[in-house]
Amino acid sequence: SLQKLKKEGENGRQQLAQITRYLTIVLCVVQGWGIAKVLCNPAMLGLNSADIVVNPGFGFQLMTVICMTAASLFIMWVADQITSFGVGNGASLIIMINITSRLPEALWSAYQRYFVLHSASMAELFLLTLFFVVVVMGTVMLTQGVRKVAIHSTRRSVGGGNTYGMKQ
């Protein structure tokens, strides 16, 4: 049924976007509640740390769910605005900015781990580099991949031998 909505044109796409937004709200509420429960009781994840939340309880959990849901919906709105103004795919841009903003810190951390502190082996560095190259190659192959599909159209003759559906 979702495929049918997608093929119905602009109205179907708007209904599909609305369904996606409602499912996003449900997912945000469930994830927010799970994060609130873990923050109230870190032992659920096997952490033996001190209390993270000063006043755990239903009020904290409700506030966490509301704040996380509102923040997620705000980011979704910003992504929609970026897309509607024609800058690009808003969600993809936000994800890319998040990844690239952490890149300098990740590179510095890797340099410290493998070359300064020697806390990991060179075999691990080799495997990490190999995995990176394979992922980049796969991404480029998927992005650049082209499937040529033959398009067959019917010819229709009207009147004095004019043929429609073909360039002459």
Side-chain angles (χ1 to χ4, degrees):
S1 63
L2 295 178
Q3 289 288 345
K4 289 179 185 177
L5 277 177
K6 187 176 181 181
K7 293 178 182 178
E8 284 184 8
E10 187 60 33
N11 188 28
R13 281 193 290 274
Q14 287 177 353
Q15 286 179 344
L16 189 60
Q18 194 69 21
I19 291 170
T20 303
R21 287 184 183 100
Y22 289 136
L23 289 175
T24 300
I25 292 171
V26 171
L27 184 63
C28 288
V29 168
V30 170
Q31 284 186 330
W33 179 78
I35 289 172
K37 291 296 275 186
V38 168
L39 287 175
C40 288
N41 186 8
M44 292 173 72
L45 292 179
L47 301 174
N48 295 328
S49 63
D51 292 334
I52 296 175
V53 179
V54 178
N55 294 320
F58 180 74
F60 171 77
Q61 292 174 7
L62 181 65
M63 185 61 69
T64 302
V65 168
I66 290 171
C67 289
M68 292 191 76
T69 303
S72 298
L73 293 179
F74 175 71
I75 294 296
M76 188 171 61
W77 176 79
V78 169
D80 285 343
Q81 294 301 309
I82 292 170
T83 303
S84 67
F85 280 109
V87 177
N89 185 344
S92 295
L93 283 174
I94 291 173
I95 292 169
M96 187 212 46
I97 289 168
N98 184 26
I99 292 170
T100 55
S101 70
R102 295 171 187 240
L103 192 59
E105 179 185 343
L107 291 175
W108 179 252
S109 174
Y111 172 76
Q112 290 287 323
R113 179 176 179 179
Y114 293 107
F115 297 109
V116 175
L117 300 175
H118 301 290
S119 63
S121 68
M122 285 298 147
E124 182 182 321
L125 177 61
F126 175 75
L127 289 174
L128 184 66
T129 306
L130 181 68
F131 181 69
F132 173 75
V133 169
V134 168
V135 168
V136 169
M137 285 174 49
T139 304
V140 169
M141 287 172 54
L142 286 174
T143 303
Q144 298 297 321
V146 175
R147 173 184 262 175
K148 294 184 179 183
V149 178
I151 299 175
H152 300 284
S153 63
T154 59
R155 294 183 192 175
R156 185 174 67 168
S157 293
V158 178
N162 294 333
T163 304
Y164 295 96
M166 294 285 295
K167 291 184 179 179
Q168 293 184 6

